[in-house]
Each structure stands twice: as structure tokens, then as C-alpha cells.
Amino acid sequence: MTRVGLATIAREWGRIGCIGFGGPPAHIALLRRLCVEQRGWLSADEFEDGIAVTNLLPGPASTQLAIFCAWRLAGPAGALVGGACFIVPGLVVILGLAALFLAAHPPLWVAGAAAGAGAAVPAVAVAAAVGLMPASWRRAGPEPGRPRVGWPRWRWIGYLLVGAVAGATAGAFLVLVLAACGLIELAVRRPPGSGGEAPPGSGGEAPGGESGAGDSGPRSGRIAALLPVALAAPAAAGGLAAVAWVAFKVGALSYGGGFVIIPLMQHDAVHAYHWMSGAQFLSAVALGQVTPGPVVQTVAVVGFAAAGLGGGLLASLVAFAPSFAFVLGGAPRFAALRRNALVQAFLTGAGPAAVGAIAGSTIPLGLELSQSWQVAVLGLAAIWLLALRKNVVVAIVGAAGLGLVAVLAGAPLS
């Protein structure tokens, strides 16, 4: 196995953390170019296996992939160094911008840019959901010998719709809805008396390489499926404990990518704890999109709004801690995780519900828009992202520019 020094890990992963604009696709491309194409540290199959397994885990998958690649090259110390160097550049940038955007009386140009960028966020959510749908649809798969749209895919449609309703209305209970969809699919797909290993053709093997030997067993699969239910308990009553609780939910329960947790984060930050206004939350999500790193960095802005710089740092630390724990504790058994039929079945149900929740989140996000010019900016962003299929970062920056022009021309902010 190739071993790489910690100084090299710090330098290369820090570089990716500085230039990783554009979300998970950009992060994965940069990691592949470094680890597979340029340095040859990992084989193509090893890298694709890493992608497949980290997509099975809750939390920001591209961050977990960065941690996993560093672990593969330099062990636990490499995972800690590589993960930190990947995360910290974006954290520094987003906390600096949060101080500017969340000031008590920000300059007019800052307020206008924030309002414009926030107006594009509902369109970004729809684009994220649309981008996730094809892989989730393929995962459901038709039953052998059945029509292309068979019973499994009718269930997929049902989970998608339930998730959309939950994303629009459920708020704090969204995670319970996602868990319920996963548990239903687990119950449907598990034959009586079956073990945890995925049978051939059942979806237990992800593209990109052969699964390794071993199996984590039905007991561990059952625990993994029930974990979201156990974690959806009431939060502590305010203060830093509440910041930590919200951040933990963001980091540990974001099935399907960081955007799925946006409705829950919005409920907690805006409605439950009143740390920020709805418009400020839209700006926070926009900042998570335009800074390097995952959209989960949004939670640092929420923490900053709740408790200043200390709250932002605490929120980021807690939100990313599960990703490190998953990789450091589970990487040696990742091959078994891929083969576990119970985990696969749970994610086959929870996955489309998560996609639906991302799409459904556009409703509460859109309702935060207070001005007609923001609706126009949203329409332009939707055309850019959905009809033209262009870059998200450009959409957010362009919307911020339109907001700046609008307020300087006399358009109202509130």
C-alpha cells in the first residue's frame, strides 16, 4: 500500500480545500486527479469504491471521501490532517463572510448582494434534487421479469412524494420521515430469515469495483437503520448546547447530501431558536454554495448567528465530527458495509425520500422571499440552472450581482 507523508497530505488536501468551488462534483474530480491520475497513489477501482461507500454514509460525502483517501494513504493521522486541511479553508472564508453579512447594520451593497444571492437558493435546491434523481431511480431497479416501472419503482415514487411533503412541512420531524421510509423499504426487501449479505443483483454492489469479503451482519444493519430515530430526540433548551445539537443533526443525519438537512436547519435556526431571520438563512445557504467545501458549511453561519465566532467554530467542529468518526471507525469494514443488504435496503427507501425533501424545501425557502425583484432573480436562476444546466456558483454570484444592482437602483429590501 502506498504511504504518503503528513506534510504532503496537508499541502495537497489544503490546496483542494482552497480551490474546491462547485460542490461535490468538483471535489471528487480534484481528488481523482490528484490521487489516481497525477500521483498514482490509488487505483481507479480503489477510488471508485471510496466514492460508492461514502455515498452510503450520512453526512457530506465528498468530505468523507477526502478523509477516506487521506486515511488510505497515511492512516488515522493522515485522515485527521487531510480532513482538517480540506475543511478549514472554506470555514475561514465562510466565517469571514458571515461576520460581514450578519452585521447589525451591513452596508447597503452587502445587504443587496445577500438578498440577491438568497433569492437564488430555492432554484439551487431544485437543481440539487434533479441532479440526484437519476442515480436514486436506478438504485430502486425493476424486479426481475417485471415491467420497467415495477413495484419497487412505484415505492420509489411514493417515498419521493412523502419526502417532498416532509421537506415542505415537517420541519424538525423530517429525519423521522426519512428513517420511516428507509425502514419500510428494509421490511419489504428483507426475505424472512435472510442474513445481512446482499444477494447477487440486489444492488449490494456499487459501480466501480468488486465488493470485499466479509459482512457486518443483520444486527449492525438494523442498528444503522434505527440510528436516525434514536437521534431525532428533542434538543437542549438553547445556548451552545442547542448549537451543538443542531450541528450534530446536520453532520450525522444528512442522507443524500447536505441540502437534505436544509429544512431541518431552517426550522431550528429561524423558527425554533430565532437565531436569524428567514432572509439571513437564505444568505447563509448561499454562502455555503459559493465558498469552497460542502454546503454543510452553512451550519457555521448558523452557529455564528447564534453565538458569534465561538458558535461558528463549535458548529463546524460538531457537524464534521461524525464524518471523521465514520471513516476512522468504519473504513476497515467499508467493503462489508457495501455488501450489507439491510443497509442497502434502508438507503433504497431513505434515498428517494431525501431527494424529495430537498425538492420540497424549495417551498419554505421560497416563502422567505419578500420582494418581487427577488422573485424575478429566482426565475432567472431557475432558467440558468434547470433549463441551461449551468454552474451553481455562477448562479449564486450572478444573483448577488443582480441584488446589488437592484438595491443601488432603489429597489426595497424589506
Side-chain angles (χ1 to χ4, degrees):
M1 181 176 70
T2 302
R3 302 293 295 183
V4 177
L6 292 181
T8 301
I9 294 288
R11 182 181 68 251
E12 296 297 340
W13 268 247
R15 179 181 61 83
I16 292 174
C18 291
I19 65 174
F21 295 91
H27 305 155
I28 292 171
L30 289 168
L31 286 167
R32 180 186 284 112
R33 187 176 305 133
L34 170 68
C35 295
V36 179
E37 298 170 5
Q38 293 180 344
R39 299 298 186 97
W41 289 332
L42 300 175
S43 69
D45 283 351
E46 285 177 305
F47 188 82
E48 295 303 322
D49 283 349
I51 295 174
V53 175
T54 52
N55 274 292
L56 296 178
L57 301 173
S62 61
T63 301
Q64 290 166 347
L65 180 63
I67 298 170
F68 172 75
C69 290
W71 171 85
R72 182 69 178 74
L73 298 174
L80 293 172
V81 170
C85 290
F86 178 81
I87 293 166
V88 167
L91 176 63
V92 171
V93 173
I94 202 168
L95 287 175
L97 291 173
L100 183 64
F101 276 61
L102 296 178
H105 302 289
L108 182 63
W109 69 269
V110 171
V121 168
V124 175
V126 174
V130 170
L132 291 169
M133 281 184 184
S136 180
W137 177 258
R138 289 192 300 270
R139 183 190 187 97
E143 292 178 329
R146 296 292 184 87
R148 186 168 185 174
V149 182
W151 176 228
R153 283 181 167 166
W154 283 116
R155 291 198 304 272
W156 184 93
I157 294 170
Y159 298 141
L160 184 79
L161 294 175
V162 168
V165 173
T169 63
F173 299 101
L174 172 62
V175 173
L176 292 177
V177 174
L178 302 186
C181 291
L183 292 172
I184 290 170
E185 187 66 17
L186 189 155
V188 170
R189 284 182 176 255
R190 184 185 180 191
S194 68
E197 187 169 334
S202 67
E205 292 190 5
E210 304 237 344
S211 295
D215 195 312
S216 57
R219 186 174 182 180
S220 62
R222 207 175 291 122
I223 292 172
L226 291 173
L227 180 63
V229 180
L231 292 177
L240 289 177
V243 172
W245 175 247
V246 172
F248 181 74
K249 289 188 288 185
V250 169
L253 304 178
S254 52
Y255 292 104
F259 242 109
V260 74
I261 211 71
I262 292 298
L264 189 150
M265 203 188 326
Q266 181 187 28
H267 175 272
D268 286 346
V270 177
H271 304 294
Y273 297 111
H274 308 289
W275 291 328
M276 57 204 317
S277 68
Q280 287 175 324
F281 182 78
L282 286 176
S283 298
V285 178
L287 291 180
Q289 288 288 327
V290 299
T291 52
V295 72
V296 169
Q297 293 277 28
T298 300
V299 76
V301 186
V302 172
F304 187 95
L309 180 60
L313 292 173
L314 174 65
S316 183
L317 176 65
V318 173
F320 286 108
S323 293
F324 286 93
F326 289 145
V327 175
L328 290 173
R333 304 189 68 184
F334 273 3
L337 178 64
R338 287 186 62 193
R339 290 173 57 87
N340 191 290
L342 300 180
V343 174
Q344 295 284 344
F346 177 82
L347 294 174
T348 300
V355 175
I358 295 171
S361 70
T362 60
I363 295 176
L365 291 173
L367 290 175
E368 300 293 350
L369 303 181
S370 59
Q371 302 299 325
S372 57
W373 67 264
Q374 289 182 293
V375 177
V377 171
L378 173 59
L380 292 173
I383 294 171
W384 178 264
L385 293 169
L386 300 172
L388 302 178
R389 297 185 179 274
K390 298 293 186 178
N391 185 272
V392 169
V393 174
V394 175
I396 296 288
V397 173
L402 291 174
L404 171 62
V405 171
V407 297
L408 293 180
L413 279 171
S414 60

